[in-house]
Amino acid sequence: MSGFSPELIDYLEGKISFEEFERLREERKAREREATGDGVTEDEGETTAAEDVDCSSRASHSRAKQEADDSEETSDGVSKSVHRVFASMFGDHVSDDEEEENDQNEQFTAGDVFALEMELQREHKKMQRERRPRSKLPKALRGLMGEANIRFARGDREEAVMMCMEIIRQAPLAYEPFSTLAMIYEDQGDMEKSLQFGLIAAHLNPSDPEEWVKLAEMSLEQDNIKQAIFCYSKAIKYDTTNVRYLWERCSLYEQLSEHKMAMDGYRRILNILPPTDGEHFMQLARDMAKSYYETNDITSAIGVMEEALGKHQSLVSAEDVNMAAELYLSNKQYDKTLEIITTFTEVVVEKSSSKIDDAEEDVTYNCQIPDAVPIDIRVKLMVCLIHLHILQPLDLLMTHLMEQNPEDMGDLYLDVAEAFLEIGEYNSALPLLSALVCSERYNLAVVWLRHAECLKALGHMEQASESYAKVVAMAPLHLDARISLSTLQQQLGRPEKALEALESMHDAETLTHDASAAQQELKLLLHRSTLLFSQKKLPDYVDALLAMLAMLLKVAMSRAQVSLVSRSRNGGKHLYLVKDSRDKVSDIDDQEAAYLDVKGKTSVLNKDDWWNLLLKAIYTLCDLIRFKEAELLVDSSLEYYSFYDDRQKRKELEYFGLSAAVLDNNFRKAYNYIRVMVMENVNRPQLWNIFNQVTMHSQDLRHHRFCLRLMLKHPENHALCVLNGHNAFVAGSFKHALGQYVQAFRNHPNEPLYTLCVGLTFIHMASQKFVLKRHPLLVQGFSFLTRYLELRGPCQEVYYNIGRALHQLGLVHFAIHYYEKALKLPPLKLNGIEDDQVDLRRDIAYNLSLIYQNSGNVDMARKLIFTYCVI
C-alpha cells in the first residue's frame, strides 16, 4: 500500500475522522499545486495524461466519422447534423432514411435554420455545464476494475479486494474501487469499513446526492449524528431544493441541541416550499414560532409568524391569531397585537372624538366582539386595551370574563390581573386575584404573591402580610416574598416576626454544593443584618456579618487557621471566630478551584460592598470588646487575594490589625505589624511613637537589634537615634546611650527632653560603684539638669525630676527641697490627656515619705501618704 496517501491510510485504520481526512487531503493538494506551479497535483497529472491519450484517439476517430456524415446536405441546404440535433431535442430518434423522407416532406426557411442553430448552440452549452464528471479511472485499469466486479459477483471477495487495492494504489483518485470495496464490506456485514470506503468514494464522486443520503443513514445506524449531518449537507449541496434532505438534517441538529442551525434549516425549507403548499407552510411556521418562543427568541418567532400571515392570509386560523397575539404581547408591541386581532377576526375597535371646548377633546372607544371569538383572543384583546389605557370597553369584557369559572380559566384571570397591576389599576385587579386565591386549582404561591402585592399597593398592610405569609408557607425558598413580609412586619411594629421571616432557608450541605442557594442565602443575610442593626441587636448583627464573610473568606480562613464556630455564652448562642491548632485544620486540596467556587457564590456583591461589610464587622467586634476576634478576622482578610492584591486595602487592614492587637494587649503580634510599617515609613514620627509604646509594653528585647540594624541604613534618622539611646540606657550601656543622646541634643539643642536624658545619663554614670572622676560627671549632670529647668520652666515635672536625681545620689536634704516645691505646683494641662494621668503628686509624696521614714520621722511619712496616696 505504498501508493496510498498518508491521510487515506490513517482514515482506513480509524485514526482520523472523515472530516479530518477531507481537510488533510485538501491541504496536501494545495501544497502540491504550489510545488508544481501549474495547479495540477501529481496524482491528477498522471491520471489526466493517461485519459488524454485515450480520449484523443477516440476523439480523432469520432471527428473523422462525424465530418463525413455532416458533409452531406439535404436538398434545402441544411446539414444532416442539424436535423439530428433537432430530432434529439424532441426526444425522437431519426435514422438516415427517415431524415431523407423528412427532408422531402418539410421545407425550412433560412431564418428558421438560423434560429434552430442558435437554439442548438445554447442547448450544447447547457449540456456541457450539466455533464457528469468523467471517470478518473485510466483505460488500462478499467479491465481490472471490471474483473474485480465480476469476482465480487461470483463471491470471490478476497480476490476482488486485492484487485481494488491494486487499482487504488495506481489510481488513488478513482472512486470506482472504493465504491466496490464499500459494497463488498457491506455484503460481509462489516458496516464500519463499508461506511469508510463509501465516504471516500462519495468524496471522490461528490455529485450523487442519493449516495450521500445512503451514507448518512449508515452513519445514523452507528450513532454518528455529526457525520450524518455532514453527509446530508453534501447531499443538499448537489440537490438544494430537496425538502426531505433539509428536514432530516434539521431533525439531527435538534438532537444535538443546535437550535440555531435547525431553525436556519427550517427557514430554508419555508423559502423552498411552493405557494400552493400553504398548509405545510403554516404548520411549519407554527412549529418554528413555538420553538423560537421556548428559547426566548421572540423577535425571530414574530418574524416567522408575520411571514406566514402575510403569505397565506386565507389559511390563518384562530390558533395562528392567538399565537401571533401572544408573541406581540410578550414583546410589548400592543399596537401590533390590536392590529392582528382586528385584521384576522371580526373584532372591531372604533375610535370617536368630540370637542368639549376649544382646548379639550373627548375621545371614546367602541368595541364590537362577536360571540364566535374564542375566549383566549378576548383576553388578549383585554390585555392589549389595558396596556394601551383604553379602559372604556373593558366593562363588558370584564363581565364576560367573570362569568367564566376560575377553576377552568384561571390562567386568563391571572393574565388580565397582571396587566392591571402593571399599569397601576389595583382596584380592578383585586377582584380577579381574590377569585383565584379562593379557588382550588389556582390557589398557588404566584397568585398569592400578586394578591399580596396588590393589597400592599392599596395600603391594606395587615391583609398583605397574611398573603405574604401564605407565599412563604407555600414557597419557602422565595426570597422576595420573605423580604417583603419582613418589611411589612417591621412596619406593623413586629420586629420579632420580621426577623423570623428572614431565617435561614438552606442547610450547610446545600450551601456548600449549590451556588444559587448560596447566593440566595447571602441576599437574605444582607437584609437580616440591616434589620438587626436598625434594632440595635449588635451580637446578632455580628453573627450575620460573620456568616456572610465566612462564605467569602472560606479559603483564606483555612490558610489562616481560623474557624467560625457556634457557642453558647451568657445565655445566648452566637458565632465566634477561634484560632485552630494546626492538627485540626482541614487543608483544601485545590485552593484555586475552591477560590473560584467561592467567587461564583459571592458574586451578588461587588468588591467594594464586601469591603464595607468587613469594616462594619471589625468596628462592631471592637465595640463589643471582642478584640481577639477582630485580630483573627484581619488575619483571614489578609489571606484573601482580592484584598491583599489591593495595596491600599492591604495597608488599611494592617492598621486595623495593629489597632486590634494593641487593644487586645497582644503586643508581640502588634510588634510584627509596626515593625513592617516603620521600615516602610522611617520618617513618620507617629509610627515611631506607636513603636515605642508597643516595645515598652511587650517586655521583648527583639527591637534592640532591629533598631541598631535600621540605624545603619538610616544614620540621620532622629527617632532611631533617640530610641537607640533609650535602649542602651535601659540595658545599662550608659556610654552608648550618652553618645546617642548627645547626637540628638546637637541636632535639637533647645529640646528639654534630650537635655534631661543627657543629665540623667551623667547622674547614672556617677552612681556606679566603680567609676573614675565621679565629681566631673556630677557637675556635668547637674549642669544639663539646670539647663533642662531653664528650657522647660518651673513646673511640677521639672522639680520632681531634679529631686529624684538628688534622691538617687543620697542628697536627701536637697531632694526634700525640690520635692516640696513640686508638691505646691499644679499638674500640667495637656490636650487629649486627663489631668490625673500627668499628676505627679502621688509619686512625689511617696518618695518624700521614704526619706522621712528612713530618717525616723514616721508621723510625717504617714501624713504624706494619707494626704496624697489614699484613694
Side-chain angles (χ1 to χ4, degrees):
M1 297 178 68
S2 59
F4 293 172
S5 62
E7 64 270 12
L8 177 60
I9 296 173
D10 290 342
Y11 173 68
L12 292 176
E13 292 178 353
K15 295 181 180 178
I16 59 175
S17 64
F18 183 71
E19 291 83 356
E20 293 174 339
F21 161 74
E22 184 180 16
R23 178 178 57 80
L24 293 173
R25 179 177 176 274
E26 293 296 334
E27 292 176 356
R28 181 176 62 82
K29 290 173 63 177
R31 289 194 300 269
E32 290 178 358
R33 290 192 190 97
E34 292 175 0
T36 56
D38 57 358
V40 180
T41 63
E42 182 181 353
D43 295 338
E44 290 174 342
E46 294 176 358
T47 307
T48 306
E51 291 175 353
D52 288 345
V53 174
D54 179 55
C55 292
S56 61
S57 61
R58 284 183 289 152
S60 60
H61 176 72
S62 299
R63 279 197 302 271
K65 183 179 179 180
Q66 185 69 26
E67 289 174 0
D69 293 340
D70 292 348
S71 61
E72 301 178 4
E73 295 183 351
T74 59
S75 58
D76 55 359
V78 180
S79 64
K80 291 184 178 181
S81 63
V82 172
H83 282 282
R84 283 197 299 271
V85 173
F86 183 82
S88 67
M89 291 174 60
F90 290 97
D92 298 332
H93 176 72
V94 182
S95 62
D96 294 340
D97 297 336
E98 289 174 347
E99 287 177 2
E100 293 178 359
E101 292 179 4
N102 290 336
D103 291 342
Q104 295 176 2
N105 295 333
E106 298 181 6
Q107 299 293 328
F108 293 94
T109 64
D112 294 336
V113 173
F114 178 75
L116 179 60
E117 288 182 346
M118 292 296 294
E119 181 67 26
L120 290 173
Q121 186 178 2
R122 286 193 294 271
E123 185 70 19
H124 177 70
K125 290 181 179 180
K126 182 178 179 182
M127 292 174 66
Q128 288 293 328
R129 287 195 301 268
E130 295 180 355
R131 186 178 62 180
R132 291 174 61 87
R134 64 187 179 184
S135 173
K136 294 182 180 180
L137 186 65
K139 185 177 180 181
L141 296 176
R142 290 178 184 175
L144 184 59
M145 187 69 247
E147 182 65 23
N149 289 328
I150 293 173
R151 293 293 180 91
F152 168 55
R154 291 176 178 175
D156 192 357
R157 298 189 184 92
E158 294 182 0
E159 289 293 331
V161 169
M162 293 177 62
M163 292 179 181
C164 289
M165 288 298 181
E166 179 62 23
I167 296 171
I168 291 172
R169 188 185 67 80
Q170 298 186 36
L173 298 180
Y175 71 90
E176 289 89 342
F178 290 102
S179 180
T180 301
L181 284 172
M183 290 188 292
I184 292 173
Y185 285 115
E186 183 180 3
D187 188 59
Q188 290 180 348
D190 192 347
M191 303 306 295
E192 184 175 355
K193 280 193 174 182
S194 174
L195 177 60
Q196 291 178 353
F197 284 107
L199 286 169
I200 298 174
H203 181 75
L204 296 174
N205 182 30
S207 58
D208 186 1
E210 292 296 333
E211 184 65 24
W212 284 113
V213 172
K214 177 184 175 183
L215 294 171
E217 293 171 353
M218 293 176 66
S219 299
L220 288 177
E221 291 177 359
Q222 298 182 15
D223 295 328
N224 195 341
I225 298 178
K226 290 186 177 180
Q227 186 167 281
I229 291 175
F230 175 81
C231 294
Y232 274 119
S233 299
K234 285 288 188 178
I236 293 168
K237 179 180 179 181
Y238 294 100
D239 191 357
T240 57
T241 61
N242 195 309
V243 174
R244 185 174 71 87
Y245 299 166
L246 288 167
W247 193 277
E248 292 293 337
R249 188 177 67 172
C250 292
S251 301
L252 295 177
Y253 276 131
E254 288 184 348
Q255 292 183 30
L256 294 179
S257 300
E258 295 186 15
H259 177 76
K260 184 179 182 302
M261 300 297 295
M263 291 298 105
D264 291 344
Y266 287 135
R267 188 173 288 277
R268 188 171 172 182
I269 294 174
L270 287 181
N271 297 331
I272 293 174
L273 288 176
T276 56
D277 200 359
E279 290 292 340
H280 289 141
F281 190 98
M282 293 299 295
Q283 185 59 44
L284 181 57
R286 291 188 202 106
D287 296 337
M288 289 179 65
K290 290 178 182 177
S291 183
Y292 276 128
Y293 183 77
E294 290 172 357
T295 56
N296 292 325
D297 192 355
I298 306 298
T299 305
S300 299
I302 290 175
V304 171
M305 288 305 298
E306 284 181 346
E307 184 179 358
L309 297 177
K311 286 186 176 181
H312 302 282
Q313 296 185 4
S314 60
L315 299 176
V316 175
S317 63
E319 179 187 357
D320 300 327
V321 176
N322 186 46
M323 182 181 296
E326 178 70 26
L327 293 173
Y328 281 125
L329 287 176
S330 301
N331 211 31
K332 300 187 183 301
Q333 294 178 301
Y334 306 113
D335 293 329
K336 284 281 190 180
T337 307
L338 185 60
E339 180 184 346
I340 285 291
I341 293 175
T342 54
T343 301
F344 293 99
T345 63
E346 298 178 1
V347 174
V348 178
V349 178
E350 296 178 346
K351 176 182 178 182
S352 60
S353 60
S354 59
K355 289 188 177 181
I356 300 176
D357 51 34
D358 295 338
E360 297 182 1
E361 185 177 1
D362 185 22
V363 179
T364 59
Y365 291 88
N366 182 26
C367 185
Q368 299 178 6
I369 305 175
D371 295 337
V373 176
I375 185 65
D376 290 345
I377 298 179
R378 285 173 178 264
V379 169
K380 287 179 175 55
L381 176 63
M382 291 178 66
V383 174
C384 177
L385 294 175
I386 290 169
H387 284 286
L388 293 174
H389 298 278
I390 304 174
L391 305 180
Q392 296 98 336
L394 290 177
D395 294 337
L396 182 61
L397 292 170
M398 280 288 292
T399 303
H400 185 269
L401 178 61
M402 295 296 289
E403 292 175 355
Q404 306 296 323
N405 187 359
E407 299 288 348
D408 301 328
M409 302 296 175
D411 55 339
L412 303 182
Y413 272 65
L414 187 58
D415 290 342
V416 176
E418 288 180 339
F420 277 125
L421 290 176
E422 288 181 13
I423 67 169
E425 291 289 333
Y426 302 106
N427 286 316
S428 301
L430 186 58
L432 295 169
L433 294 171
S434 299
L436 287 176
V437 296
C438 293
S439 65
E440 294 182 3
R441 184 177 178 185
Y442 289 93
N443 183 19
L444 304 174
V446 63
V447 180
W448 278 106
L449 180 62
R450 297 289 180 267
H451 188 251
E453 292 171 352
C454 186
L455 289 170
K456 182 180 177 182
L458 293 173
H460 305 316
M461 298 302 178
E462 187 67 37
Q463 294 88 339
S465 65
E466 294 176 0
S467 296
Y468 275 122
K470 277 278 189 181
V471 178
V472 173
M474 293 180 176
L477 302 182
H478 198 293
L479 178 63
D480 294 335
R482 283 177 171 269
I483 295 173
S484 299
L485 177 59
S486 176
T487 304
L488 282 178
Q489 297 288 16
Q490 184 74 6
Q491 293 175 1
L492 293 172
R494 304 167 184 165
E496 297 300 328
K497 290 284 187 181
L499 289 174
E500 185 180 343
L502 295 178
E503 291 291 340
S504 179
M505 299 187 297
H506 305 280
D507 55 9
E509 187 70 20
T510 305
L511 294 177
T512 303
H513 298 94
D514 192 346
S516 61
Q519 292 177 352
Q520 272 195 332
E521 189 72 15
L522 189 57
K523 293 178 182 177
L524 183 71
L525 285 171
L526 185 62
H527 285 85
R528 181 178 175 83
S529 66
T530 305
L531 184 60
L532 288 167
F533 184 76
S534 65
Q535 296 180 7
K536 307 298 182 184
K537 297 183 177 181
L538 293 186
D540 295 324
Y541 173 61
V542 169
D543 289 348
L545 292 178
L546 292 179
M548 287 188 284
L549 291 170
M551 297 173 65
L552 177 72
L553 305 175
K554 178 182 177 181
V555 181
M557 289 173 66
S558 174
R559 286 200 297 269
Q561 301 178 19
V562 177
S563 297
L564 184 66
V565 298
S566 177
R567 292 178 179 175
S568 297
R569 292 181 183 175
N570 301 326
K573 193 173 184 179
H574 296 287
L575 297 177
Y576 297 92
L577 289 171
V578 296
K579 185 75 172 179
D580 286 334
S581 62
R582 189 172 297 275
D583 298 335
K584 295 182 179 179
V585 175
S586 59
D587 294 331
I588 299 176
D589 296 332
D590 191 351
Q591 292 199 359
E592 184 176 356
Y595 176 76
L596 294 175
D597 178 59
V598 168
K599 195 171 183 180
K601 292 179 180 178
T602 58
S603 59
V604 293
L605 296 179
N606 57 35
K607 185 178 178 181
D608 293 334
D609 294 335
W610 280 114
W611 177 251
N612 292 330
L613 285 177
L614 177 62
L615 297 186
K616 291 177 183 178
I618 294 173
Y619 291 146
T620 310
L621 285 172
C622 292
D623 291 340
L624 295 174
I625 322 297
R626 293 162 63 175
F627 305 120
K628 181 66 176 178
E629 293 179 67
E631 289 181 58
L632 297 177
L633 184 57
V634 170
D635 292 344
S636 301
S637 302
L638 286 172
E639 293 288 344
Y640 185 62
Y641 297 131
S642 297
F643 292 156
Y644 187 83
D645 292 342
D646 190 329
R647 189 174 184 276
Q648 182 178 356
K649 287 184 172 57
R650 183 173 73 248
K651 292 299 178 186
E652 195 167 348
L653 280 173
E654 289 173 354
Y655 284 118
F656 280 126
L658 173 62
S659 302
V662 171
L663 292 172
D664 191 38
N665 295 326
N666 189 354
F667 295 104
R668 187 177 184 85
K669 188 171 186 179
Y671 174 76
N672 295 331
Y673 282 115
I674 194 63
R675 181 176 178 273
V676 177
M677 293 178 185
V678 295
M679 289 175 65
E680 296 177 353
N681 303 277
V682 181
N683 296 318
R684 291 190 64 179
Q686 298 91 337
L687 292 178
W688 285 113
N689 290 334
I690 298 173
F691 180 85
N692 192 34
Q693 290 293 322
V694 169
T695 54
M696 197 166 55
H697 289 88
S698 65
Q699 303 297 323
D700 195 345
L701 301 180
R702 291 182 298 166
H703 65 284
H704 289 186
R705 293 183 179 179
F706 167 72
C707 292
L708 289 173
R709 287 194 300 268
L710 200 59
M711 188 70 182
L712 296 176
K713 297 180 181 178
H714 305 279
E716 301 299 326
N717 188 273
H718 180 68
L720 272 173
C721 177
V722 176
L723 281 175
N724 279 317
H726 291 339
N727 293 335
F729 187 87
V730 172
S733 302
F734 297 118
K735 292 183 180 180
H736 181 206
L738 184 61
Q740 298 293 333
Y741 288 146
V742 170
Q743 180 182 349
F745 175 73
R746 287 174 179 173
N747 294 331
H748 300 276
N750 295 323
E751 178 62 42
L753 175 64
Y754 307 143
T755 308
L756 173 64
C757 290
V758 173
L760 291 178
T761 305
F762 278 120
I763 297 297
H764 278 78
M765 291 173 68
S767 301
Q768 289 179 322
K769 185 175 182 181
F770 302 101
V771 61
L772 297 175
K773 301 180 181 179
R774 190 186 306 273
H775 179 70
L777 292 175
L778 289 173
V779 172
Q780 294 180 69
F782 280 106
S783 299
F784 277 98
L785 290 177
T786 304
R787 179 170 176 77
Y788 163 64
L789 174 60
E790 295 173 357
L791 294 173
R792 185 66 170 160
C795 63
Q796 189 185 76
E797 171 199 318
V798 173
Y799 289 136
Y800 169 74
N801 285 327
I802 296 175
R804 181 69 184 84
L806 292 167
H807 191 180
Q808 179 177 339
L809 292 172
L811 303 174
V812 293
H813 54 292
F814 291 116
I816 291 172
H817 171 72
Y818 283 102
Y819 280 150
E820 287 178 348
K821 292 184 72 173
L823 277 175
K824 295 176 182 179
L825 295 175
L828 296 174
K829 301 287 185 181
L830 300 177
N831 293 330
I833 302 178
E834 297 180 1
D835 295 342
D836 187 61
Q837 292 184 0
V838 294
D839 191 359
L840 299 173
R841 285 179 295 183
R842 288 187 293 271
D843 305 86
I844 297 169
Y846 180 74
N847 289 347
L848 268 175
S849 68
L850 292 178
I851 294 174
Y852 285 126
Q853 188 176 358
N854 291 332
S855 64
N857 193 348
V858 180
D859 294 336
M860 191 63 183
R862 185 181 295 110
K863 179 183 177 182
L864 288 171
I865 294 296
F866 280 111
T867 303
Y868 296 102
C869 299
V870 175
I871 299 176

